[in-house]
Every structure is written in structure tokens, then in C-alpha cells.
Amino acid sequence: MKRPKIVVLGAGYGGLMTVTRLQKQLSSNEADIVLVNKNDYHYETTWLHEASAGTLHHDKVRYDVSSVIDSGKVQFVQATALKVDHNAKKVILEDGELDYDYLVVALGAAPETFGIQGLDKYAFSIVNVDAARQIREHIEYQFATYKVEEDKKPERLTIVVGGAGFTGIEFLGELGNRIPELCKEYDIDQELVRVICVEAAPSALPGFDPELVKYAMAHLEKKGVEFMIGTAIKEATPEGIKVAKGEDEIEEIKAATVVWAAGVRGNPIIEASEFENMRGRVKVDANLRAPGLSDVFIIGDCSLVINEEINRPYPPTAQIAMQQGELVAKNIANLVKGNTHLETFVFDNKGTVCSLGHDDAIGVVFGKKVTGTTASFMKKMVDNRALLMVGGVGLTLKKGKFKFF
Amino acid sequence: MKRPKIVVLGAGYGGLMTVTRLQKQLSSNEADIVLVNKNDYHYETTWLHEASAGTLHHDKVRYDVSSVIDSGKVQFVQATALKVDHNAKKVILEDGELDYDYLVVALGAAPETFGIQGLDKYAFSIVNVDAARQIREHIEYQFATYKVEEDKKPERLTIVVGGAGFTGIEFLGELGNRIPELCKEYDIDQELVRVICVEAAPSALPGFDPELVKYAMAHLEKKGVEFMIGTAIKEATPEGIKVAKGEDEIEEIKAATVVWAAGVRGNPIIEASEFENMRGRVKVDANLRAPGLSDVFIIGDCSLVINEEINRPYPPTAQIAMQQGELVAKNIANLVKGNTHLETFVFDNKGTVCSLGHDDAIGVVFGKKVTGTTASFMKKMVDNRALLMVGGVGLTLKKGKFKFF
């Protein structure tokens, strides 16, 4: 009898959780497990804002896929997946194809620019290690160049962050720590640097407790961040951005660095594969399967799960992706073993902590509001927990966030 | 009786040597000493190629002027000097003026582009700390961007060094060490990187022993440097350079980074002040004074001293600048003390060592040819010696090049 073939696309939080759980639950005689990922490394998407600001080296936010998979049970294929042909039960890769009996799509998100002109061309997005590295170097290069040029362009020292959501705020927190270092490195007066956060919604961190939002904004303003809340970016240009001011007016903000952190959508593969979707996210069934397909599971940022309490989708987070990965691994293992009973997914929200730089944070953990060093400590524990769950104690010690006194 | 006022322009090798010797030889009752410099720090011009390549942090190549001057005897003025009015005995600063009884012009060099179109606009020059930092960041930014862009431009990974003279060769040596690090940092295959040295003269390192030149070129070629000797750069463009190929043909070399290291001239102040000069360098008299002026001394890269043996000017080096500074300090101290006998300048050439990266070098020291680790060690001693002579043991220990095993 042929062993069933399980293909997992993506070595992010969801994909790695799926594979590391599958390799524990299945023997190599029971199934062939194939993990497909563009890079030979996993990166911590939730730490990329640090690599982008330059406060944490990008090698600290990634580790080799090979360090967490059991090569006796899992075959790793470094490739880019383009499309799922669910009729033929095949994945089309950039260079070849793979058939599957069970497929787990865990490919993460792509930036959502909401059709705002120029954003895709003139703004950076904190999407992966390559992008984070470029943002870091771009900012440094602007500082270095400002110092050299005779006819000084003040906009070289202006950084616009589009969006005061989770990623935007966390990135601003890191910039708050990084800017003084950059000023020292390039002999630049910190008064000349501007960091502007533009958010279209009427408040920063929508969905967060207003008291915590106020705390976060006050903290960031003290570090020099200027907020333009309730202000929509109309266009990104080679010179900066244009924002709406009142009804008809447009204001131009010159900035050499524009980082778009205001929204994500599912991976383009979802649309390419013609799954029913909303902005690249598939509303999965109770077992996290694509509608009408018994063998295709979709988890993480490409999946859409409704929070029944408020009748709105859960935001895509590492936490939900990992819980989905665990469940999918359990269900697929059962199917492989001939047990057709599938467990349904229930999100166990342990809370959310939003970092404000290395020394402060805000959050709600197990239903309790936290700020300051407590929150900051909780954040690091959250970060370490992901490592622990995927790679165990060894990886956590190697890549975790610790401070030894 | 009014104390004579000695003004020294420039805190480079020559200027600092002058001031540190003057402050030893004169009491604060005998003269007012004023040191004028654009920055509040001195930088090691001969180490800038390392800061430019990114192999040595720029803070290691500079130290505060205040750390070597005796503030009880020397007044430091941070200013940019524009012109010397030798009839009125005044120096015109960007913001104000200074009168003098004795003037020492020790302002260093500026890049000489020989009228080659586009070089001033599209090529970098290793001229100061600000420029070195920008070159370092520019190269890194190209690597970071190459990794991100969909439509990859191979020229982002091409670095052209214009000139195989001393600075060009030393910079190539550092790049040889730095490129592998950059490739690792940005996950780039080293095969994709090109480092091309273009030299118009029929040989690299003109004036050096041919055997040593051969050694140097072989060493650098092993590290991946491509040499185009006897090839003239005709133009620098936003895309790279155009070089002469045969009689009429022009070849274009695409390169995101072009560093011009093929020539220097004296500081523009020389021409602005209407001193008789050749490319900004003044042929000084035997006492290092400007022709016809008893109170203006010119040393370092703005001075021109003929090597009688070959009837050609000595190349501008830190070594000659420092010896000139010592002599001028002695002569001015004598004049201040009423002793009108001036000593004449004789260059005591102790040799030259050209670095080929941190682990190799070539040179002639006390008339003996050296290569490899011996030469490399000698080079570091030469570097440390400049620190020792200006700032003593303390500065040498703080800023010197040592490796403790």
C-alpha cells in the first residue's frame, strides 16, 4: 500500500508547528511528509520590525529549517509554490510540481495596499528578512548621505510609518531606540530627525483598550514620534507621501523612508489557485479545510476564522497560526491512521502584547492589562514560547530573547 | 608687548604635529596658538580606506582634537577656512575671520578628477569620515537591495575602483576581506560580486618595485579583483563608467559603486588665496614657506617639495606631513623667541608600506623589501607610530592597531 503524502507549504509559525507535530505523531512508515519553503530558514515574522529598525540583527530572527525537522521523516524542498491545482491534487512550483494526498497551505501574508497609488513602488513593507535588511540599510544610507551632501535635504532624516496598528506601533517603538544610536553613528543632531506615524482610522491600535493605547502613544511621543491619527495616505511618491487634510486639501510630507505597515492580505497563491477568498484569505470550515475540499487545510494568515463573540475575523497572528498548526497535525495524523473523526478548531486567546521598544510594552494577558517592564517581560516570554513550541529547549536557548544579569 | 599669534589651519597629520610640538616648545606667555579645524576630531586619512570598506569602524579612525591639545596653551576653533588674505594677515572663515602673525596651512588634499566628466557627481572619493561612512553604507545598501528586487540588477554587486595607486590598492585589499562578509550578511553568492580596478597608467602602484607590484596584484586577484591596467576612465555616469578600449572604442562597465582613488590635489583654499600653485600645491621654500611670504608656512598635501634625486615632487604622505610639522614648529618657536635662524627641511624617507587587507602588505622599509605578515606588521607599526608621535602612549593604546593573542 502506498503511503499517503502530506505536503506542507510554508515554514512559518503554522507550517513548522504542523510539521514538527506531524513528525512526532507519525512514523516514517505511515506517511511521507514534505515541507516546501522558499528559504532554507524560518524567520520570526513577529520580530521583523526589530530587524527592520536595526535593533536586532536579522540572523537572530531566523533559524535553519533543518534544525527543527526530523530528516528521517520529513523531506524538505526549497522552492516557491505558485498555485494549487486541487482537482489534480498537485502543487505547481516555480520549477516543477508536487502531488499530495493531504495539503496544508501555511504561506503567510502579503502587504495590502488598499489600492493606494505608489505604495507598492515607493514604500517599504516589513514582510521578510530580505525586506527588513533593506529597510535597515536604507535608513542608514539616508543618514550617511545627509551628512555628506552639501545641499542638505532634511527629508532624508524623515521616516513615515503608514499605520498605527500592531506592526506600525512595534516598529515605532524600535525606531525610538534606534534613532539615538543612528544620530551618534552619523554625528547628526537628533532634533533634525522626524518620525511620523500616519493612521487613517480614528485611533491607534484599533481594538486595544483605550487606556493602553493612550499609554503607548504617550511613550512613543516622548521618544519623538509625531502621530497623525485619522489621516489617510492618498499617495506615495518618490519624494514622500500625500495625505488628506480636511475635505479637499492634500498635504505633502517629504520623507526619504516610507514604511507601509497598515495591512496584510493572504498570500497571492490563494487567488492564483482560485480558492473562494476575501483579500487572499479563505474562510475555512470548522476543521480548517478549504470549502468543499476534504484534503486541503489552510492555516495562518491565509485562513479566516470568525470570532463568534463579535462576529468578526480573528486578526492573523502567530498565536492563532500555531494553534491551527497543532490542530491540523492532529487531524491529519488521525486521517492517516484511518480515524476519520476530525477535531474542530477553537481559538484559545492567551492575550496580546505589543512591544514599544526593548524596555516597554502594553498588553492584555490572560484577561489582565499590563504595561511597562512587566509587559516587556511578558512579550519576551511570548517570543520565547514560539521557539520552545517549535524547536524545544535547545532552539530557545540558542535563539531566545534573554538578558543575563 | 603683544604676544605673537600663531594660527594653524587643519588638524590632520601635519597640523596636529605642528601644534603638539609648539605647545611643548612655547609657554603660554610667549605666544597665542590657535588651531582651526572643520571638525572637532582628527581622523587618520591613511586609514579611511578601511572605514570605507567597512572593515574598521569610523570611530576607530578618529579621535577628539581636545584629547591631544593643551587647552591652557592652544585655543581650538571649530570652523571652515575659506581663504588666506596674506596682505592683511588674516584668515577668512566661513563665519568670521582670524588675524595671525604666523600662519601654518596644513589643510590636506582634495580629490583630483583630471576633468573626467561625471566623476565629481557619480563617483565617491575616500576623502574624510563622512565620505567613508557613506561609501560603506552605499555598498551595503546595494547588496541589501539586490537581494530584495525581483528584477535583479547584477551591477548592484559591481564595485569599480578608479586608480591602482596607493589608496586604490589599499582599498581593494580591504574589499577583499569585506566582500565575503557582505555576501554572508546578505545571503549573496560571492560569484555574483565583481570588483574591478581601472588604472590608466601602464602599471599598478607606479614607483613601486615591480616585484612587489606583481605580488600585490596576484594577492588581490586571488581575492577576486579584476584589473584593467592601461585603461583610462573616460566618463562616469549614473550607471557606471565608460572606458577607452583601443583607439576609438568605448566600453561601458555597469557598476552601482564607483570609487575614485586615482589622484589628489591641494585644498581649494590654496587657489582661493591666490598662492602660486600647481593643482592646489605650493612649491614651498627650503623652510616650507610660501614663495615671498616670511610668515606663511605650508605643509602636508598642500605643499610641494622636490625630491632632488629624481627631480620630481615627493608624493603627499602622512610621513612627510608629520616631518614638516615638526620642522615648522621648531622654526616658529625659534622666531617667537627672537632666533631668526631657520632650519631647512630634508625629508627622511623611512619607507612605505602598502596594505593588502588585514593580513598582507608590501613595502620598502629602511631600504628593504618586505611582504606578507612582516609587511602587514610593519604597516600596523607605521599606523601606531603616527598616534604615538601626536598623542603619546595613552592615545596609542586607545586607538592603536593591536591584536592581543
Side-chain angles (χ1 to χ4, degrees), chain B residues 139-394:
Chain B
I139 293 172
E140 281 217 49
Y141 186 51
Q142 298 307 319
F143 276 64
T145 301
Y146 178 84
K147 193 65 192 178
V148 173
E149 64 195 358
E150 291 236 345
D151 192 8
K152 301 217 176 293
K153 297 194 182 72
E155 63 266 30
R156 288 207 193 271
L157 307 179
T158 300
I159 301 169
V160 164
V161 177
F166 209 84
T167 308
I169 292 294
E170 290 204 319
F171 182 52
L172 289 167
E174 296 304 317
L175 285 179
N177 293 142
R178 181 63 178 148
I179 298 293
E181 293 175 359
L182 284 173
C183 288
K184 190 160 174 275
E185 177 77 2
Y186 296 99
D187 300 319
I188 284 172
D189 179 0
Q190 207 179 316
E191 295 288 310
L192 299 168
V193 180
R194 288 184 73 189
V195 178
I196 306 166
C197 176
V198 184
E199 168 63 59
S203 139
L205 287 173
F208 253 74
D209 178 278
E211 200 187 339
L212 292 177
V213 175
K214 207 174 143 191
Y215 179 97
M217 285 179 71
H219 177 90
L220 293 173
E221 278 170 343
K222 222 179 67 191
K223 289 191 172 183
V225 175
E226 303 166 41
F227 283 98
M228 298 176 75
I229 302 293
T231 305
I233 295 182
K234 289 295 175 192
E235 190 185 342
T237 71
E239 281 78 43
I241 56 164
K242 291 180 179 169
V243 300
K245 208 183 164 186
E247 282 294 298
D248 310 298
E249 240 179 298
I250 292 286
E251 186 187 339
E252 195 184 347
I253 300 173
K254 286 197 173 189
T257 308
V258 178
V259 177
W260 179 246
V264 290
R265 52 184 290 120
N267 190 286
I269 200 174
I270 296 297
E271 279 146 332
S273 310
E274 291 168 26
F275 290 113
E276 200 178 295
N277 73 85
M278 288 161 65
R279 299 192 186 280
R281 300 177 72 190
V282 178
K283 194 171 161 189
V284 288
D285 71 13
N287 312 119
L288 305 175
R289 288 180 295 192
L293 296 173
S294 62
D295 47 11
V296 177
F297 297 81
I298 302 183
I299 64 175
D301 302 347
C302 293
S303 74
L304 198 147
V305 176
I306 298 293
N307 178 351
E308 304 289 352
E309 278 179 43
I310 54 171
N311 199 30
R312 292 190 54 187
Y314 286 112
T317 59
Q319 188 183 176
I320 196 168
M322 290 174 78
Q323 291 183 17
Q324 290 176 321
E326 270 193 292
L327 185 93
V328 162
K330 197 184 289 180
N331 280 340
I332 292 179
N334 279 344
L335 289 169
V336 166
K337 292 174 195 287
N339 177 352
T340 55
H341 171 72
L342 298 186
E343 287 188 24
T344 59
F345 180 70
V346 181
F347 178 44
D348 173 20
N349 190 350
K350 297 188 195 309
T352 315
V353 189
C354 177
S355 153
L356 303 172
H358 65 80
D359 51 353
D360 207 347
I362 55 167
V364 178
V365 187
F366 301 115
K368 244 188 94 180
K369 281 194 259 183
V370 284
T371 59
T373 40
T374 314
S376 193
F377 177 79
M378 294 300 283
K379 179 71 180 183
K380 287 179 182 72
M381 289 307 103
V382 168
D383 288 344
N384 292 340
R385 191 168 179 272
L387 287 167
L388 187 68
M389 289 183 74
V390 171
V393 175

Side-chain angles (χ1 to χ4, degrees), chain A residues 41 57-59 62 124 130-131 133-134 136-138 140-141 144-145 147-148 184-187, chain B residues 41 57-59 62 124 129-131 133-134 136-138 140-141 144-145 147-148 184-187:
Chain A
Y41 56 84
H57 191 267
H58 61 263
D59 279 336
R62 62 176 174 179
F124 296 96
D130 293 343
R133 252 182 328 213
Q134 196 198 22
R136 177 192 76 194
E137 290 306 316
H138 178 82
E140 282 217 48
Y141 186 51
T145 301
K147 193 65 192 177
V148 172
K184 191 159 173 278
E185 177 77 3
Y186 295 99
D187 301 319
Chain B
Y41 56 84
H57 191 267
H58 61 263
D59 279 337
R62 62 177 174 178
F124 296 96
V129 169
D130 293 342
R133 253 185 324 215
Q134 196 199 22
R136 177 192 76 193
E137 290 304 316
H138 178 82
E140 281 217 49
Y141 186 51
T145 301
K147 193 65 192 178
V148 173
K184 190 160 174 275
E185 177 77 2
Y186 296 99
D187 300 319

